[in-house]
Every structure is written in C-alpha cells, then in structure tokens.
Amino acid sequence: MKVKTESTRAVAAQKMVMELLVADQPARATSHDPESKLWQWAEKIEVTESRFPAAERWQGDASHPAMRVNPRFLHPMRVVRARLPRSAGQ
C-alpha cells in the first residue's frame, strides 16, 4: 500500500487535526511551554489558531481530596483494577 502524505487532501487532513488540537490548548503566549512539539508542528504546517470552539475547561470538584483528580487523566486499566475485587486485581 502506498500512502501519499503530500497530496492536497492529506495536507488538509493534517491541518484539520492540528486545528482540533490547537483549539483545546491555551494560547501559545500563555501556554506552559510555548516551544513544545505541538506548537512547533503547528507552526510548521502553518496552523496558529483554530476555527473550532475550545472545549469547556474542567473546573474540578474540591469537595473531597479524592475528587481533585481530573478524570481525563485516569488510566483506564487503573480504573478497572480499582473496581475489581482485591484478589482479582493483583
């Protein structure tokens, strides 16, 4: 199988994916690492802003210390292990 990465269709798809990634990031000037690989690639393919709306930022739930974890960062296998009986999760 041959993959053409320089076709107009492929380049448009790459730019759209980058737009989606950039939409969910803080502005480059205020990001924690303005020289990250993400921003380097965005600059390389000339995507500096996105036409897509940004996702709603997670505010967190500080009602209990166990709730201060952003659920987006939970590893699925850890969740499965946490739900298994103690003998099965080892």
Side-chain angles (χ1 to χ4, degrees), residues 29-50:
T30 60
S31 70
H32 73 283
D33 184 6
E35 297 305 317
S36 69
K37 291 282 188 188
L38 173 88
W39 291 114
Q40 290 174 14
W41 276 105
E43 190 174 286
K44 183 176 181 175
I45 63 172
E46 301 172 349
V47 174
T48 56
E49 55 187 45
S50 179

Side-chain angles (χ1 to χ4, degrees), residues 4-56:
K4 296 179 182 179
T5 59
E6 298 299 321
S7 70
T8 55
R9 186 174 176 194
V11 171
Q14 292 167 4
K15 286 186 176 193
M16 181 173 288
V17 169
M18 187 57 72
E19 275 191 77
L20 290 167
L21 290 170
V22 167
D24 205 25
Q25 300 298 314
R28 185 175 187 173
T30 60
S31 70
H32 73 283
D33 184 6
E35 297 305 317
S36 69
K37 291 282 188 188
L38 173 88
W39 291 114
Q40 290 174 14
W41 276 105
E43 190 174 286
K44 183 176 181 175
I45 63 172
E46 301 172 349
V47 174
T48 56
E49 55 187 45
S50 179
R51 60 189 150 155
F52 301 105
E56 186 177 319

Side-chain angles (χ1 to χ4, degrees), residues 58-71:
W58 181 73
Q59 296 301 318
D61 177 4
S63 63
H64 187 276
M67 297 299 290
R68 292 190 183 130
V69 176
N70 186 338

